[in-house]
Amino acid sequence: MKIRILLSAFAIAILIAGCKPSVPSKYISPSDMEDIIYDYCLAQGVIAGNATPYEKKKCDLYVYKNEILKKHGVTEAEYDSSMVYYMGHAKYLYDIYEDVIERLGNDAVAMGAAASDLEKFGSVNAMGDTTNIWNERSTVVMSQFAPYNRLDFYIKADTTYKEGDRLMLDFDNKFIYQDGSRGGTAMLAVKYDNDSVVERKTHISSTMNYTINIPELEGRKIKEIRGFFYHTKKLDASLTTLKLMVLNNIRLIRFHKKVSESDTIKNIQGIDINTIRSNKDSIKTNAF
């Protein structure tokens, strides 16, 4: 009896798994679409490094696209219809983008690129004076279509925050576009213990490194941190045109205010270091 029940449960599990939605066979499969987009990203990287006018690069990219589609045995019509399908099923496309970015990242590391350059900020740990407090993924792939065109983040300050802390949001951006204008926005806002708010924004328009700095607010401790990344949807956006904004090496660095030796000793029972030093000099003089 127990065996019969187990077999029935197993059969039901197989039936449920078989009912799981998948990409219709008339469209390019996720694995093949991943390979196509990956090859396209490599081609774009090669063309971007050429010192040629924009219109020439645009033509070269179109030629590369046709060659890539030919390599994978796909027509432009099949690619376009598949891209429309994936845009309507954004989770599939998002997973494809994630795998592509991971492959590109592995390529970069294999060629000698640093997996992380946090070392440039000195010692970075949870209790140190220089700390990476970013609590989301360090790499984010953003399309131009909701909900994958925006990332909001929130951090509530804890006991490790001190008066005079300053912040720096640092990230690398790469646009992967077939065509059209590109743009995005990054915003960082800090609320302090007196409920005052300091906000900074930057417009993202190129493949480069970006930073947003929020200086210390004298005598105030950070209460909470908010912000967002947004990939702007342009009027020329098309369902079949590849347009990605890839944020990589995202870091939110918190810097504690450095306290001088004089300030440290002066704060201990109200003793002034300068008074101590003058008394020592007086003792040495009298001794001779």
Side-chain angles (χ1 to χ4, degrees):
M1 183 66 178
K2 289 183 178 180
I3 294 176
R4 188 174 299 174
I5 294 174
L6 288 174
L7 289 174
S8 299
F10 183 67
I12 293 172
I14 292 176
L15 183 62
I16 293 174
C19 294
K20 184 179 179 180
S22 59
V23 177
S25 58
K26 65 179 179 178
Y27 299 119
I28 301 172
S29 69
S31 60
D32 289 340
M33 183 62 83
E34 177 189 324
D35 290 338
I36 291 171
I37 294 176
Y38 172 75
D39 286 345
Y40 185 86
C41 292
L42 294 180
Q44 189 188 51
V46 172
I47 293 173
N50 296 336
T52 55
Y54 172 74
E55 289 301 324
K56 177 66 166 56
K57 289 183 178 181
K58 186 176 176 180
C59 291
D60 290 343
L61 202 54
Y62 181 77
V63 172
Y64 267 110
K65 178 186 174 183
N66 289 335
E67 290 299 316
I68 290 169
L69 294 180
K70 187 184 299 183
K71 168 188 172 182
H72 292 280
V74 174
T75 66
E76 188 168 4
E78 289 172 333
Y79 171 81
D80 288 345
S81 64
S82 296
M83 186 60 77
V84 171
Y85 172 82
Y86 281 112
M87 284 297 185
H89 299 77
K91 183 61 172 67
Y92 284 131
L93 191 58
Y94 184 78
D95 290 341
I96 290 172
Y97 291 158
E98 290 283 88
D99 291 340
V100 169
I101 295 305
E102 182 178 355
R103 289 171 65 177
L104 293 173
N106 291 337
D107 290 344
V109 172
M111 290 186 293
S116 171
D117 59 349
L118 278 175
E119 291 79 8
K120 69 182 180 181
F121 298 113
S123 176
V124 180
N125 56 71
M127 301 300 293
D129 290 336
T130 305
T131 307
N132 180 20
I133 58 173
W134 181 250
N135 58 7
E136 302 282 347
R137 287 177 299 174
S138 61
T139 298
V140 179
V141 184
M142 308 181 76
S143 74
Q144 289 194 321
F145 302 96
Y148 302 106
N149 62 337
R150 182 179 175 117
L151 171 67
D152 292 273
F153 58 89
Y154 171 79
I155 299 174
K156 184 176 178 61
D158 55 26
T159 56
T160 63
Y161 287 71
K162 301 178 180 179
E163 290 184 7
D165 283 346
R166 61 186 179 90
L167 297 175
M168 180 179 72
L169 179 63
D170 180 88
F171 61 94
D172 299 322
N173 175 67
K174 180 178 180 63
F175 283 110
I176 301 176
Y177 270 49
Q178 285 180 247
D179 196 9
S181 55
R182 59 202 67 188
T185 303
M187 189 276 286
L188 180 64
V190 176
K191 178 184 282 189
Y192 294 91
D193 53 7
N194 65 345
D195 287 336
S196 61
V197 177
V198 176
E199 177 184 307
R200 296 285 188 274
K201 286 184 180 180
T202 188
H203 178 62
I204 305 170
S205 58
S206 303
T207 294
M208 58 179 285
N209 175 263
Y210 288 86
T211 59
I212 299 178
N213 288 285
I214 293 189
E216 66 180 85
L217 191 61
E218 190 66 35
R220 294 297 174 187
K221 291 180 66 176
I222 293 174
K223 183 177 180 180
E224 61 183 34
I225 303 165
R226 296 179 184 271
F228 65 81
F229 295 102
Y230 178 69
H231 188 194
T232 307
K233 181 179 179 181
K234 300 293 186 178
L235 295 177
D236 59 356
S238 167
L239 287 177
T240 61
T241 301
L242 184 65
K243 294 188 176 187
L244 301 178
M245 185 171 80
V246 182
L247 307 175
N248 193 28
N249 293 328
I250 305 174
R251 299 157 289 239
L252 183 55
I253 308 300
R254 182 192 67 201
F255 300 92
H256 284 328
K257 182 180 180 181
K258 289 187 176 181
V259 181
S260 66
E261 180 188 3
S262 298
D263 291 337
T264 302
I265 300 180
K266 189 174 182 179
N267 288 333
I268 300 176
Q269 298 179 349
I271 301 175
D272 192 337
I273 184 64
N274 294 322
T275 302
I276 295 175
R277 285 173 175 164
S278 62
N279 288 339
K280 285 178 64 179
D281 292 341
S282 176
I283 293 172
K284 288 181 181 180
T285 302
N286 294 333
F288 290 97

